[in-house]
Amino acid sequence: GNFKEKQQGQHKGIDPIIMWNDPAVISSLHDFYGIAADKFPFETNLLVRSVDAKPKRVYYVSEPVRRIMEINASTHELKVVVVGIKLFERQEVKGATVPCSYRLAQEGLGMLDRLMTKQVVRLSLKEMHDILAARSLPRHHFEGHTGEQLDACYQGCCVIRLREGETLPPGTVEGAAPLAVTCWKGPASLNLLIPATEAFVILEQLGGEKPKKTGYNGEKGKQAQQGKPAAAAEGDASDATVKAEATADGAEPEATAPAA
């Protein structure tokens, strides 16, 4: 519409860049993920590439870049095609109530992981291998303290992290693989929110072996190899509906989940 054209200025066909501060959504991010308000500049350094009331993706930019973007909003001297690190994606949930409408993006997880005090499950190395290989596991797979942590999380996006003190296998390069991964907690299962190819790379970097068959339910193997997020574990098929969408920055898989 006219508003979008005005935001783009002289660079027609380029998505608008809008500094974004939605108090209600940001409050839900603080509460759901347990990130203290003074720990990260949500209110000042987030931007979106859409004029929609509920933008699909939310990006972070550093303070120097934020100032440049604000100046460019009036001068339009720069044709900005790509900017920022993706932190969140809007999560459409069908048939269930999730306290926060935005899930974490793996791309920006490293910036927020250590600040989170909620929605974090710390796994042993074996448990990390298991979930990376299967990509979807039923709740009863996780026992003891791990199961208790999982039960303490709300349904929705969460993060699995390698438990501190775990010894990596010989030959593993420490720091080569991310030790935290975005997941979706359904009513009765835990599902990765990263493509199969990325999960298997992390698995091998952590000393695990790529499985011959992918997915907790072997029938999901072909789908997983195509780089789509894990569907729900068998017997919990309502947890996740896998959907791939073509986006402005390429074909990006998205999990739309869960149903009650």
Side-chain angles (χ1 to χ4, degrees):
N2 293 334
F3 181 70
K4 184 173 183 179
E5 292 178 1
K6 181 179 179 181
Q7 288 290 327
Q8 292 172 339
Q10 62 185 357
H11 305 301
K12 305 302 180 183
I14 302 298
D15 289 334
I17 295 176
I18 304 170
M19 300 309 298
W20 182 78
N21 181 0
D22 185 320
V25 174
I26 289 176
S27 177
S28 74
L29 295 174
H30 286 310
D31 293 341
F32 188 71
Y33 295 109
I35 300 175
D38 61 345
K39 296 296 184 180
F40 198 85
F42 285 141
E43 288 78 4
T44 57
N45 291 65
L46 299 184
L47 64 78
V48 297
R49 303 298 303 264
S50 169
V51 297
D52 294 340
K54 295 182 178 180
K56 176 70 175 175
R57 297 171 186 84
V58 179
Y59 300 84
Y60 165 81
V61 291
S62 64
E63 185 60 22
V65 174
R66 182 192 69 79
R67 291 197 294 267
I68 292 173
M69 291 301 99
E70 287 192 338
I71 294 173
N72 195 58
S74 58
T75 64
H76 303 294
E77 293 182 359
L78 296 178
K79 181 179 180 180
V80 182
V81 178
V82 178
V83 64
I85 298 173
K86 183 168 59 178
L87 287 189
F88 301 101
E89 293 189 82
R90 190 178 75 243
Q91 184 67 63
E92 298 175 358
V93 181
K94 297 180 180 179
T97 302
V98 176
C100 183
S101 57
Y102 283 84
R103 63 180 172 90
L104 295 158
Q106 184 70 25
E107 175 184 326
L109 181 58
M111 304 186 70
L112 299 176
D113 171 48
R114 295 294 185 178
L115 304 179
M116 295 171 58
T117 60
K118 298 178 182 178
Q119 298 298 108
V120 179
V121 181
R122 292 169 177 81
L123 305 183
S124 67
L125 183 60
K126 181 184 182 306
E127 291 169 331
M128 186 70 86
H129 284 175
D130 290 347
I131 187 66
L132 288 170
R135 302 184 65 242
S136 180
L137 288 172
R139 161 64 185 87
H140 61 74
H141 181 87
F142 302 97
E143 301 176 342
H145 184 54
T146 302
E148 293 174 359
Q149 294 177 77
L150 192 55
D151 290 341
C153 292
Y154 288 107
Q155 182 176 327
C157 183
C158 64
V159 170
I160 55 171
R161 162 166 278 281
L162 186 63
R163 195 175 296 159
E164 293 185 8
E166 287 290 306
T167 302
L168 296 176
T172 303
V173 180
E174 188 171 356
L179 300 183
V181 178
T182 55
C183 290
W184 183 271
K185 178 194 173 184
S189 70
L190 184 66
N191 312 279
L192 295 187
L193 284 177
I194 59 174
T197 50
E198 187 174 351
F200 295 153
V201 167
I202 298 173
L203 174 63
E204 292 178 338
Q205 289 175 328
L206 291 178
E209 295 184 1
K210 182 178 177 180
K212 294 181 180 179
K213 290 186 178 180
T214 58
Y216 172 75
N217 181 353
E219 297 176 0
K220 302 281 193 292
K222 183 177 179 181
Q223 185 181 67
Q225 289 178 345
Q226 293 173 343
K228 297 179 181 179
E234 184 176 9
D236 194 22
S238 62
D239 278 359
T241 302
V242 177
K243 179 176 66 175
E245 289 187 352
T247 68
D249 41 337
E252 177 143 348
E254 176 197 353
T256 301

